[in-house]
Amino acid sequence: DLIAHMAARNVENDGEPVVCTTDELLEAVWGGREDWDRYRPPTPDNLRDLVLSVRKAIEPDASPPVILENQRGVGYKLHTAGD
């Protein structure tokens, strides 16, 4: 869900990487805020852990990360081969 959402946002932006905010990604991955009332809401730490797991799977030797880039204080940007 994380990569699919970020890739779709890039496509909407003519293939250029888009910074997706933390709140936007939390909603895209864990559902709308109305769903969060039923259980403990996800946190930025949950998103960070997910991003770290995805990075290990798609760019195990990249330092710094080159596919999933952190935009400090804002969110994350997905770079694809086309940009």
Side-chain angles (χ1 to χ4, degrees):
D1 291 342
L2 176 74
I3 297 297
H5 177 80
M6 295 178 81
R9 294 276 281 123
N10 287 357
V11 168
E12 293 169 359
N13 194 42
D14 294 325
E16 292 296 318
V18 174
V19 177
C20 297
T21 67
T22 299
D23 286 341
E24 172 186 353
L25 293 172
L26 285 169
E27 186 169 330
V29 174
W30 282 277
R33 293 183 191 278
E34 63 278 357
D35 295 339
W36 297 352
D37 293 337
R38 288 186 261 160
Y39 55 89
R40 194 166 135 206
T43 67
D45 287 340
N46 298 126
L47 179 60
R48 184 199 69 229
D49 292 345
L50 175 62
V51 168
L52 290 174
S53 294
V54 170
R55 279 183 179 151
K56 286 180 185 178
I58 65 174
E59 51 183 328
D61 298 324
S63 181
V66 294
I67 298 174
L68 275 174
E69 179 186 357
N70 182 329
Q71 299 291 297
R72 189 177 176 104
V74 180
Y76 295 89
K77 184 188 292 188
L78 175 69
H79 295 277
T80 58
D83 41 90

